[in-house]
Amino acid sequence: MEPFKVHILGCGSALPTLKHNATSQVVEIREKLFMVDCGEGTQMQLRRSHIRFTKISAVFISHLHGDHCFGLIGMISTFGMLGRTASLHVYAPEALGPMLQSQLDLFCQGLEFEVVFHAVDPKVNKVVYEDRSLTVETIPLNHRTPCCGYLFREKSTLPHIRRDMIDFYHIPVSQINNIKAGADWITPEGTVVPNARLVTPADAPRSYAFCSDTRYMPHLHELLAGVTTLYHESTYADDMADRARKYYHSTASQAARVARDAHVGKLILGHYSARYDSESAILADARKVFPNSFLSNEGLVFNV
């Protein structure tokens, strides 16, 4: 299978700490790189992770709180100094557009690449990006400012060719694509070899959902049904549920409830409050509800 990975660049929340960086991730899928959120210091984390700056084709911003977007203009400036020429696409709530343009005009004159801004509506679930191999759709969330998550879905692929059958029936290479597309094979003697004998099923499409920041949403699981891997903010342990609700965040067990109800394969926790020296309580609370839960941390790479 082609790689589908999530690189954790930052998993802290709004208050800076020496332990965690502000939120940012890179989603790697079929040799393409997409950034999700770009908090302050993200470009330093890119350096530490040895991710190639030039391969990031798009940045998806969830909302306009600084710990999710303050690193964007600095990273764009660095892209310019590195001689980038490929366009960079930025998907974000509409209000970022004029601010980003002002920053580009002030700090990034003479860029040799285009920054293409795409306004997204955080209130609707909609496909905002599509290419031959995947789609990205918005996930409406419930935060103090308009906010959405992003759901990366692989498109279905063609079946796998059975090399032993191709050799056995002496099928020419020129017919491989037709067989992948569902064609039977007719031998020179006129015997029809059914397609099912020539292929094995395609890999099941994988998906990754990023949900930060949000209050617990009882119906969120409906948009996330069957997702392979879910990242859901878990700012607080369960004993801080009142604080989570007040500031429009989630507890660990609330994140786990979403994962359980959506029947996801794996839950990644993050966006930790600065009050925690250890996230062990957050992990314990989540695993009581959804055992296949994991803590994110800078430098970790999760296979979707």
Side-chain angles (χ1 to χ4, degrees), residues 43-119:
Q43 61 177 317
M44 297 301 296
Q45 292 300 99
L46 280 175
R47 286 290 195 198
R48 293 187 179 100
S49 65
H50 304 292
I51 293 172
R52 289 179 59 188
F53 281 41
T54 54
K55 291 198 69 176
I56 295 172
S57 59
V59 181
F60 296 85
I61 301 295
S62 62
H63 65 292
L64 304 189
H65 280 165
D67 55 319
H68 295 260
C69 62
F70 276 174
L72 181 59
I73 190 62
M75 186 178 72
I76 290 173
S77 176
T78 298
F79 284 174
M81 289 188 285
L82 291 173
R84 181 187 179 109
T85 57
S87 297
L88 178 70
H89 294 262
V90 177
Y91 297 79
E94 185 176 13
L96 181 62
M99 291 187 287
L100 179 60
Q101 188 58 55
S102 295
Q103 291 178 317
L104 291 170
D105 292 341
L106 185 60
F107 298 116
C108 299
Q109 297 179 26
L111 287 180
E112 295 184 4
F113 66 96
E114 184 180 7
V115 178
V116 183
F117 182 77
H118 304 265

Side-chain angles (χ1 to χ4, degrees), residues 59 126 245 261:
V59 181
K126 179 182 178 181
R245 179 167 180 78
D261 295 345

